[in-house]
Amino acid sequence: MKVFLVLPTYNERANIGRMISSLDQVFQTLRHDMNILVVDDNSPDGTQDVVREYQTTRPYLHLITGQKQGLGKAYIRGMEEALRLGADAVFEMDSDFSHDPWDVPRLLKALEDGADFVIGSRYVPGGSIPAEWSTYRKLNSKFGNIVARYVAGIYPVRDCTAGFRCIRARVLQDVDLATIRTQGYGFQVSLLHAAYISGARIREIPVKFTDRVEGESKLGFQDIIEFIVNAWSIRLRGLETFARFCVVGFSGVIVNLGLFSLLHAAGLSKYIASPLAIEASILWNFTLNHKWTFAQRQNQRRTAIKGLQFNLVSLVSLGISFGTFVLLSHLFPEGSPHLFQVCGIIPATAVNYFLNSYWTFVDRGRVVSDGTPASETPSRH
Ligand code: GDD
Ligand code: MN
């Protein structure tokens, strides 16, 4: 296999040489055609001079340069170049020793074992973030992953923002890098999402993320803004599922009212006709959501169990809808009860969708989270 490690650099003069030397040692233990591709955005500290010096004795060390346009743009250029040079697998990796070079073989092994998109994950058992990180950085990282999982919808992945990854070239060709618009750190989520919906088999391998010793992080405020906007734009593009869910919900209302009228006309007491019609519409909704709205979701649970969960969620929605009604009636005693009844539908639908999407029909397919502890191999850098 021809493997390329894409290392973006911006002012990493103090790190890049040692990184290359460390990787040299790691490569000696691997039987693949290992290559390094440094993407330097004309760092003012002269990072690329160091790389050029190392290149004289290393034919497998490549360098591309350009203007600074952000981490995402650097990765896109680097990955396109790696594909052009015939890569079968491409690594993303920091050049500041945040990612242990001795973890490279573990990620590669997971790819050889069949995964298409391997993540060096800080948030699976055995993985970790630096204990010395400030509360702000910890929260920032946690928050980023919550946004990526719940807003962008990459729920099954624990570490969506990780910058240590080993990706099969075919996945990068499938997703078409040119269509990715994120320029900064948000790129990580854009790429992961594109791979996820293209059906790539994703696997998380625990790694211990180390704080850099030399230089400083390049993550800026602009990156955080772009990150959040990007997650929401992914969400909006994914509105199709929600639209289907609403269509099903409307059809359920028709079933509910239609059946109620029928049963009532047939002479059944309205107190029996009503719950029968309600339950019938819940089962109707469940069947359509199961077969249509969430048909793509992979989930091993038995249909009967999901049906039960769906019923429970319906009960919760009923509570929310009624609760909103009662609350508004208390707050505005003069207001229109019809309006309050309609107002109740909005939070109830939102919660109903959220719970069914992330619980009843949660996607458990394709992503494998390793519970095995990170290798205890001492770092040799
Ligand atoms: N060429 C280029 N251009 N390189 C850049 C740029 C850029 O605009 N911005 C950052 N880099 C390089 C850095 O020099 C470093 O080698 C690597 O990209 C990662 O940047 P850091 O500044 O060290 O990132 P970090 O440690 O804050 O963030 C890490 O964790 C994040 C998740 O918490 C990285 O792994 C991120 O990719 C990851 O999203
Ligand atoms: Mn770093």
Side-chain angles (χ1 to χ4, degrees):
M1 223 176 6
K2 195 164 186 180
V3 182
F4 275 80
L5 273 71
V6 177
L7 299 183
T9 53
Y10 193 73
N11 288 343
E12 301 291 2
R13 191 187 178 95
N15 290 311
I16 192 65
R18 288 189 304 124
M19 266 305 277
I20 296 167
S21 307
S22 292
L23 287 168
D24 277 350
Q25 293 179 33
V26 176
F27 289 178
Q28 278 166 21
T29 68
L30 293 165
R31 54 190 168 75
H32 297 287
D33 175 1
M34 304 298 294
N35 298 267
I36 301 173
L37 172 66
V38 176
V39 185
D40 183 60
D41 284 352
N42 297 338
S43 302
D45 75 349
T47 303
Q48 52 184 267
D49 303 336
V50 179
V51 179
R52 290 220 165 81
E53 218 177 284
Y54 276 74
Q55 270 186 312
T56 55
T57 50
R58 293 171 180 82
Y60 50 87
L61 176 59
H62 308 257
L63 170 71
I64 57 174
T65 59
Q67 293 302 313
K68 182 165 163 49
Q69 295 169 287
L71 181 66
K73 284 283 177 200
Y75 265 129
I76 292 173
R77 271 160 40 227
M79 288 172 172
E80 279 171 344
E81 177 70 1
L83 293 177
R84 206 182 58 76
L85 293 170
D88 298 304
V90 175
F91 267 84
E92 278 184 19
M93 193 173 178
D94 284 11
S95 15
D96 59 358
F97 288 98
S98 287
H99 305 133
D100 186 348
W102 289 98
D103 281 336
V104 166
R106 294 170 56 233
L107 267 66
L108 202 50
K109 173 77 173 33
L111 195 90
E112 288 178 87
D113 289 348
D116 301 313
F117 196 106
V118 184
I119 301 172
S121 175
R122 299 160 295 175
Y123 297 120
V124 291
S128 61
I129 52 175
E132 63 272 22
W133 260 9
S134 66
T135 313
Y136 171 74
R137 268 217 80 168
K138 282 183 186 155
L139 281 180
N140 208 0
S141 176
K142 289 256 171 15
F143 174 75
N145 270 300
I146 288 174
V147 170
R149 294 177 71 196
Y150 291 93
V151 178
I154 320 173
Y155 176 73
V157 177
R158 303 298 172 84
D159 196 348
C160 298
T161 60
F164 193 21
R165 296 163 164 179
C166 176
I167 309 161
R168 204 175 289 282
R170 186 171 39 76
V171 172
L172 296 178
Q173 282 147 356
D174 280 355
V175 304
D176 189 2
L177 292 166
T179 60
I180 295 184
R181 297 263 163 264
T182 20
Q183 307 199 341
Y185 285 63
F187 165 80
Q188 304 294 16
V189 170
S190 295
L191 180 65
L192 174 63
H193 181 260
Y196 177 61
I197 57 173
S198 84
R201 279 162 299 182
I202 300 170
R203 180 160 172 198
E204 291 187 84
I205 300 285
V207 299
K208 297 191 190 316
F209 186 97
T210 330
D211 221 359
R212 61 158 77 226
V213 179
E214 300 289 343
E216 55 192 33
S217 169
K218 278 88 196 174
L219 181 110
F221 184 63
Q222 211 182 327
D223 288 293
I224 298 178
I225 300 295
E226 186 194 41
F227 184 96
I228 295 170
V229 170
N230 180 47
W232 279 103
S233 97
I234 289 175
R235 172 100 229 183
L236 290 180
R237 272 179 272 143
L239 266 185
E240 195 190 327
T241 312
F242 183 63
R244 287 183 183 203
F245 187 79
C246 290
V247 168
V248 171
F250 276 119
S251 77
V253 172
I254 296 168
V255 169
N256 184 342
L257 297 181
L259 194 66
F260 178 76
S261 309
L262 257 167
L263 293 175
H264 195 41
L268 216 65
S269 146
K270 61 181 177 187
Y271 293 111
I272 297 176
S274 173
L276 277 181
I278 292 173
E279 186 55 31
S281 72
I282 291 178
L283 292 178
W284 166 273
N285 286 356
F286 171 71
T287 308
L288 287 184
N289 282 322
H290 182 53
K291 294 280 175 212
W292 184 55
T293 315
F294 299 109
Q296 306 301 321
R297 303 268 175 103
Q298 297 185 19
N299 185 321
Q300 311 299 323
R301 246 182 275 118
R302 294 206 337 253
T303 310
I305 304 285
K306 287 187 214 166
L308 213 66
Q309 290 175 287
F310 193 82
N311 265 280
L312 270 174
V313 172
S314 300
L315 206 68
V316 172
S317 314
L318 180 108
I320 289 172
S321 183
F322 184 57
T324 310
F325 180 83
V326 172
L327 185 76
L328 289 175
S329 303
H330 270 282
L331 288 176
F332 311 102
E334 306 299 316
S336 143
H338 285 94
L339 182 67
F340 297 161
Q341 184 74 348
V342 172
C343 287
I345 296 176
I346 299 163
T349 307
V351 171
N352 193 308
Y353 180 72
F354 183 83
L355 290 178
N356 279 314
S357 183
Y358 289 110
W359 187 48
T360 316
F361 297 106
V362 68
D363 197 338
R364 295 205 186 286
R366 302 191 302 272
V367 179
V368 183
S369 296
D370 260 31
T372 45
S375 107
E376 293 302 324
T377 330
S379 300
R380 276 168 251 180
H381 57 256

